[in-house]
Coordinates of all heavy atoms in Angstrom, one line a residue:
D491 N 0.8 -1.2 0.0 CA 0.0 0.0 0.0 C 0.9 1.2 0.0 O 1.9 1.3 0.7 CB -0.9 0.0 1.2 CG -2.1 -0.9 1.1 OD1 -2.4 -1.3 0.0 OD2 -2.6 -1.3 2.1
Y492 N 0.5 2.2 -0.8 CA 1.2 3.5 -0.9 C 0.2 4.6 -0.7 O -1.0 4.6 -1.1 CB 1.8 3.7 -2.3 CG 2.9 2.7 -2.6 CD1 2.6 1.5 -3.2 CD2 4.2 2.9 -2.2 CE1 3.6 0.6 -3.5 CE2 5.2 2.0 -2.4 CZ 4.9 0.9 -3.1 OH 5.9 -0.1 -3.3
V493 N 0.6 5.7 0.0 CA -0.2 6.9 0.2 C 0.3 7.9 -0.9 O 1.4 8.3 -0.9 CB -0.1 7.5 1.6 CG1 -0.9 8.8 1.7 CG2 -0.6 6.5 2.6
I494 N -0.7 8.3 -1.7 CA -0.4 9.3 -2.7 C -0.9 10.6 -2.2 O -2.1 10.9 -2.3 CB -1.0 9.0 -4.1 CG1 -0.7 7.6 -4.6 CG2 -0.6 10.0 -5.1 CD1 0.8 7.3 -4.8
D495 N -0.1 11.4 -1.4 CA -0.6 12.5 -0.7 C -0.5 13.8 -1.5 O -1.1 14.8 -1.2 CB 0.1 12.7 0.6 CG 1.6 12.8 0.5 OD1 2.1 12.6 -0.5 OD2 2.2 13.1 1.6
L496 N 0.3 13.8 -2.6 CA 0.3 14.9 -3.5 C 0.1 14.4 -5.0 O 1.1 14.3 -5.7 CB 1.6 15.7 -3.4 CG 1.9 16.4 -2.1 CD1 3.3 17.0 -2.0 CD2 0.8 17.5 -1.9
P497 N -1.1 14.1 -5.4 CA -1.3 13.6 -6.7 C -0.9 14.6 -7.8 O -1.0 15.8 -7.6 CB -2.8 13.3 -6.7 CG -3.4 13.9 -5.5 CD -2.3 14.3 -4.6
T498 N -0.6 14.1 -8.9 CA -0.2 14.9 -10.1 C -1.5 15.5 -10.7 O -2.5 14.8 -10.9 CB 0.5 14.1 -11.1 OG1 1.7 13.5 -10.5 CG2 0.9 14.9 -12.3
K499 N -1.4 16.8 -11.0 CA -2.5 17.5 -11.7 C -1.9 18.3 -12.8 O -0.7 18.4 -13.0 CB -3.2 18.4 -10.7 CG -3.9 17.8 -9.5 CD -5.0 16.9 -9.9 CE -5.7 16.3 -8.7 NZ -6.7 15.4 -9.0
V500 N -2.7 19.0 -13.6 CA -2.3 19.9 -14.6 C -3.0 21.3 -14.4 O -4.1 21.3 -14.0 CB -2.7 19.4 -16.0 CG1 -2.4 20.4 -17.1 CG2 -2.1 18.1 -16.3
K501 N -2.2 22.3 -14.5 CA -2.7 23.7 -14.3 C -2.7 24.4 -15.6 O -1.7 24.5 -16.3 CB -1.9 24.5 -13.3 CG -2.5 25.9 -13.1 CD -1.9 26.6 -11.9 CE -0.5 26.9 -11.9 NZ -0.1 27.8 -10.8
I502 N -3.9 24.9 -16.0 CA -4.1 25.7 -17.3 C -4.3 27.1 -16.8 O -5.2 27.4 -16.0 CB -5.3 25.2 -18.1 CG1 -5.1 23.7 -18.4 CG2 -5.4 26.0 -19.4 CD1 -6.4 23.1 -19.0
E503 N -3.4 28.0 -17.3 CA -3.6 29.4 -17.0 C -3.9 30.2 -18.3 O -3.2 30.0 -19.3 CB -2.3 30.0 -16.4 CG -1.9 29.3 -15.1 CD -0.5 29.7 -14.7 OE1 -0.4 30.8 -14.1 OE2 0.5 29.0 -15.0
M504 N -4.9 31.1 -18.2 CA -5.3 31.9 -19.4 C -5.6 33.3 -18.9 O -6.1 33.5 -17.8 CB -6.6 31.4 -20.0 CG -6.5 30.0 -20.5 SD -8.1 29.2 -20.8 CE -8.4 28.6 -19.1
V505 N -5.2 34.3 -19.7 CA -5.6 35.7 -19.5 C -6.6 36.0 -20.6 O -6.3 35.9 -21.8 CB -4.5 36.7 -19.5 CG1 -5.0 38.1 -19.3 CG2 -3.5 36.3 -18.4
V506 N -7.9 36.3 -20.2 CA -9.0 36.4 -21.1 C -9.8 37.7 -20.9 O -9.7 38.3 -19.9 CB -9.9 35.2 -21.0 CG1 -9.1 33.9 -21.4 CG2 -10.6 35.1 -19.7
R507 N -10.6 38.0 -21.9 CA -11.5 39.2 -21.8 C -12.6 38.8 -20.7 O -13.0 37.7 -20.6 CB -12.1 39.5 -23.1 CG -11.1 40.1 -24.1 CD -11.8 40.3 -25.4 NE -10.8 40.9 -26.4 CZ -10.0 40.2 -27.1 NH1 -10.0 38.8 -27.0 NH2 -9.1 40.7 -27.9
D508 N -13.1 39.9 -20.1 CA -14.1 39.7 -19.0 C -15.3 38.9 -19.6 O -15.9 38.1 -18.9 CB -14.6 41.0 -18.5 CG -13.5 41.7 -17.6 OD1 -12.6 41.0 -17.1 OD2 -13.6 42.9 -17.4
E509 N -15.7 39.3 -20.8 CA -16.9 38.7 -21.4 C -16.8 37.2 -21.7 O -17.8 36.5 -22.0 CB -17.4 39.5 -22.6 CG -16.4 39.6 -23.7 CD -15.6 40.9 -23.6 OE1 -15.5 41.5 -22.5 OE2 -15.0 41.2 -24.6
D510 N -15.6 36.7 -21.8 CA -15.3 35.3 -22.1 C -15.3 34.4 -20.9 O -15.2 33.1 -21.1 CB -14.0 35.2 -23.0 CG -14.1 35.9 -24.3 OD1 -15.2 36.1 -24.8 OD2 -13.1 36.3 -24.8
V511 N -15.2 34.9 -19.7 CA -14.9 34.1 -18.5 C -16.0 33.0 -18.3 O -15.7 31.9 -18.1 CB -14.8 35.0 -17.3 CG1 -14.7 34.2 -16.0 CG2 -13.5 35.9 -17.4
E512 N -17.3 33.4 -18.4 CA -18.3 32.4 -18.1 C -18.3 31.2 -19.0 O -18.5 30.1 -18.6 CB -19.7 33.1 -18.1 CG -19.9 34.1 -16.9 CD -19.7 33.4 -15.5 OE1 -20.2 32.3 -15.3 OE2 -19.1 34.0 -14.7
E513 N -18.1 31.5 -20.3 CA -18.1 30.4 -21.3 C -16.9 29.5 -21.1 O -17.0 28.3 -21.2 CB -18.1 31.0 -22.7 CG -18.2 29.9 -23.8 CD -18.2 30.5 -25.2 OE1 -17.8 31.7 -25.4 OE2 -18.7 29.8 -26.1
I514 N -15.8 30.1 -20.7 CA -14.6 29.3 -20.4 C -14.8 28.4 -19.2 O -14.5 27.2 -19.2 CB -13.3 30.2 -20.2 CG1 -12.9 30.8 -21.6 CG2 -12.2 29.5 -19.6 CD1 -11.9 31.9 -21.5
I515 N -15.4 29.0 -18.1 CA -15.7 28.2 -16.9 C -16.6 27.0 -17.3 O -16.4 25.9 -16.9 CB -16.3 29.1 -15.8 CG1 -15.2 30.1 -15.3 CG2 -16.9 28.3 -14.7 CD1 -15.8 31.1 -14.4
E516 N -17.7 27.3 -18.0 CA -18.6 26.3 -18.3 C -18.0 25.2 -19.2 O -18.2 24.0 -19.0 CB -19.8 26.8 -19.1 CG -20.9 25.9 -19.4 CD -21.5 25.2 -18.1 OE1 -21.6 25.9 -17.1 OE2 -21.9 24.0 -18.2
T517 N -17.1 25.5 -20.1 CA -16.4 24.6 -20.9 C -15.5 23.7 -20.1 O -15.5 22.4 -20.3 CB -15.6 25.3 -22.0 OG1 -16.4 26.1 -22.8 CG2 -14.8 24.3 -22.9
V518 N -14.7 24.2 -19.2 CA -13.9 23.4 -18.3 C -14.7 22.5 -17.4 O -14.3 21.4 -17.2 CB -12.9 24.3 -17.5 CG1 -12.1 23.5 -16.5 CG2 -12.0 25.1 -18.4
L519 N -15.8 23.1 -16.9 CA -16.6 22.2 -16.0 C -17.2 21.0 -16.7 O -17.2 19.9 -16.2 CB -17.8 23.1 -15.4 CG -17.4 24.1 -14.4 CD1 -18.7 24.9 -14.0 CD2 -16.9 23.4 -13.1
V520 N -17.6 21.2 -18.0 CA -18.2 20.1 -18.7 C -17.2 19.1 -19.2 O -17.3 17.9 -19.0 CB -19.0 20.7 -20.0 CG1 -19.3 19.5 -21.0 CG2 -20.2 21.4 -19.6

């Protein structure tokens, strides 16, 4: 048995226009 206490993830960073934020959030959520 192993404890994986810091699992590997990926971070996506974007600088976007204010009006695009909601669509980006919804896309990532889906």
